[in-house]
Amino acid sequence: GSAVELGCTAEGRPLPLLSWFRDGEVLREEPVSTGLKLVLPRLEPDDAGIYSCVAENRHGRHNRSLQLHVA
């Protein structure tokens, strides 16, 4: 039932599109941004999974992932 906040930052020219995914499904996107937070207000076991932040512009794409376990 606790809250968790996941943060993601990226720099680039042009500014990247930042996106949060969970198990391949888009949860949140922010065009031309340097930071994007994903807030999960009340964690439940169904919130467990692999979360990925993707930064993308015309020069390329980078991502970071984490696996969230909920006990």
Side-chain angles (χ1 to χ4, degrees):
S2 298
V4 93
E5 182 177 296
L6 306 175
C8 179
T9 60
E11 295 180 12
R13 291 198 181 175
L15 287 172
L17 165 69
L18 293 179
S19 306
W20 271 109
F21 292 84
R22 177 177 167 245
D23 297 329
E25 180 181 330
V26 177
L27 300 175
R28 185 155 186 233
E29 288 187 324
E30 186 70 37
V32 294
S33 178
T34 59
L36 182 62
K37 293 181 182 178
L38 179 66
V39 178
L40 304 171
R42 295 185 57 119
L43 284 179
E44 297 186 9
D46 287 346
D47 293 318
I50 297 174
Y51 289 79
S52 301
C53 177
V54 177
E56 184 173 14
N57 67 15
R58 68 176 179 243
H59 300 294
R61 175 183 173 122
H62 291 280
N63 71 323
R64 292 286 185 260
S65 298
L66 63 94
Q67 184 162 7
L68 179 67
H69 298 277
V70 181

